[in-house]
Amino acid sequence: MQIQKIVSETKQKGKVIIRTDKLCKYYGKDIKAVDELDLEVFEGETFGLLGPNGAGKTTTVRLLNCILKPTSGTADVNGYNITENSTKVKTITGLLAESPGLYEKLSAYEFLEFMGALYNIKGTILKERIEELLSLFGLTDRKDYLLEGFSSGMKQKVLIAAALINDPSIIFFDEPTAALDPRAAHMVKDLIKGLADQLGRTVVICSHILPIVEELCDRIGIINQGRLIAVGTVDEIIAQAGTDTLEEAFIALTGGVDEKELLAWRDHS
Ligand SMILES: Nc1ncnc2c1ncn2[C@@H]1O[C@H](COP(=O)(O)OP(=O)(O)O)[C@@H](O)[C@H]1O
Ligand SMILES: [Mg+2]
């Protein structure tokens, strides 16, 4: 099937809070991780960046959080340019990374204190923020316990709390449930939903897992080989791909199942 660019026709009234303009990131000469990406995210929405492994989701999020510099093209986050105003961008974004570092010999409280210090948040403001986050995530009773004794779900909660320490207006979650068991994944999903609904934050979720994106996101962008190939609500993407489900649309748009994947599967059977 010919890959078509699908553009959402939904009339969005909100202001554009993230805009990328032909954003590119190459690793060396050959790997085009992000390739002329044009993307808009609206204030207050939950936007899902969906794509197969290696599609460029993590690279995109790292560019938008100023961890990486673009090869060419650019992006604005709440009006701040990612290259010219990276310090400003960092103060208004929070990121739950795909493979985050966690200092296991610190208590939950100490870890959040440390993360606060990285943002130069100090004194009473930091104390109050930490207490608020611990309470929000039901971690107050465990705040002085070392993280090494926490379950993976609880660790993820602490990491999400850490991503919120600077009270960001945009929060990025990179594969927030991929490494969790179903119970913990469910808990994290509810937590993200709460942040989006109750706190009214702009949320960007990267995932290759369809149900989480389908359930949580107002709009989805499908990315493949560094390029945005579809964007819209679930219904819009399904309608425009001419399929019955998002899964079928995803497979059709990302070029079907690779023949090599089928052969690998046969080899192992
Ligand atoms: N540090 C790196 N050096 C070289 N290649 C990289 C690096 N990080 C990612 N890539 C490559 O860039 C492409 C996009 O990767 P990534 O952004 O991690 O995708 P995703 O998050 O969608 O799985 C892949 O081909 C990946 O192998
Ligand atoms: Mg990734």
Side-chain angles (χ1 to χ4, degrees), residues 118 151 161 213:
L118 294 182
S151 68
V213 173

mmCIF file with all atom_site columns, all heavy atoms in Angstrom, residues 118 151 161 213:
data_model
loop_
_atom_site.group_PDB
_atom_site.id
_atom_site.type_symbol
_atom_site.label_atom_id
_atom_site.label_alt_id
_atom_site.label_comp_id
_atom_site.label_asym_id
_atom_site.label_entity_id
_atom_site.label_seq_id
_atom_site.pdbx_PDB_ins_code
_atom_site.Cartn_x
_atom_site.Cartn_y
_atom_site.Cartn_z
_atom_site.occupancy
_atom_site.B_iso_or_equiv
_atom_site.pdbx_formal_charge
_atom_site.auth_seq_id
_atom_site.auth_comp_id
_atom_site.auth_asym_id
_atom_site.auth_atom_id
_atom_site.pdbx_PDB_model_num
ATOM 1  N N   . LEU A 1 118 ? 18.570 19.811 40.772 1.00 0.00 ? 118 LEU A N   1
ATOM 2  C CA  . LEU A 1 118 ? 18.999 19.945 39.373 1.00 0.00 ? 118 LEU A CA  1
ATOM 3  C C   . LEU A 1 118 ? 18.259 21.094 38.681 1.00 0.00 ? 118 LEU A C   1
ATOM 4  O O   . LEU A 1 118 ? 18.766 21.698 37.746 1.00 0.00 ? 118 LEU A O   1
ATOM 5  C CB  . LEU A 1 118 ? 18.765 18.640 38.602 1.00 0.00 ? 118 LEU A CB  1
ATOM 6  C CG  . LEU A 1 118 ? 19.577 17.414 39.017 1.00 0.00 ? 118 LEU A CG  1
ATOM 7  C CD1 . LEU A 1 118 ? 19.246 16.241 38.116 1.00 0.00 ? 118 LEU A CD1 1
ATOM 8  C CD2 . LEU A 1 118 ? 21.075 17.707 38.947 1.00 0.00 ? 118 LEU A CD2 1
ATOM 9  N N   . SER A 1 151 ? 8.948  -1.765 44.307 1.00 0.00 ? 151 SER A N   1
ATOM 10 C CA  . SER A 1 151 ? 8.535  -2.560 43.142 1.00 0.00 ? 151 SER A CA  1
ATOM 11 C C   . SER A 1 151 ? 8.731  -1.714 41.889 1.00 0.00 ? 151 SER A C   1
ATOM 12 O O   . SER A 1 151 ? 8.888  -0.485 41.980 1.00 0.00 ? 151 SER A O   1
ATOM 13 C CB  . SER A 1 151 ? 7.063  -2.947 43.267 1.00 0.00 ? 151 SER A CB  1
ATOM 14 O OG  . SER A 1 151 ? 6.271  -1.784 43.155 1.00 0.00 ? 151 SER A OG  1
ATOM 15 N N   . ALA A 1 161 ? 6.956  11.307 39.492 1.00 0.00 ? 161 ALA A N   1
ATOM 16 C CA  . ALA A 1 161 ? 6.995  12.440 40.441 1.00 0.00 ? 161 ALA A CA  1
ATOM 17 C C   . ALA A 1 161 ? 8.209  13.312 40.140 1.00 0.00 ? 161 ALA A C   1
ATOM 18 O O   . ALA A 1 161 ? 8.123  14.544 40.125 1.00 0.00 ? 161 ALA A O   1
ATOM 19 C CB  . ALA A 1 161 ? 7.032  11.922 41.874 1.00 0.00 ? 161 ALA A CB  1
ATOM 20 N N   . VAL A 1 213 ? -2.091 4.059  23.862 1.00 0.00 ? 213 VAL A N   1
ATOM 21 C CA  . VAL A 1 213 ? -2.234 5.278  23.061 1.00 0.00 ? 213 VAL A CA  1
ATOM 22 C C   . VAL A 1 213 ? -3.705 5.499  22.708 1.00 0.00 ? 213 VAL A C   1
ATOM 23 O O   . VAL A 1 213 ? -4.238 6.609  22.805 1.00 0.00 ? 213 VAL A O   1
ATOM 24 C CB  . VAL A 1 213 ? -1.369 5.158  21.786 1.00 0.00 ? 213 VAL A CB  1
ATOM 25 C CG1 . VAL A 1 213 ? -1.608 6.307  20.845 1.00 0.00 ? 213 VAL A CG1 1
ATOM 26 C CG2 . VAL A 1 213 ? 0.109  5.088  22.161 1.00 0.00 ? 213 VAL A CG2 1
#
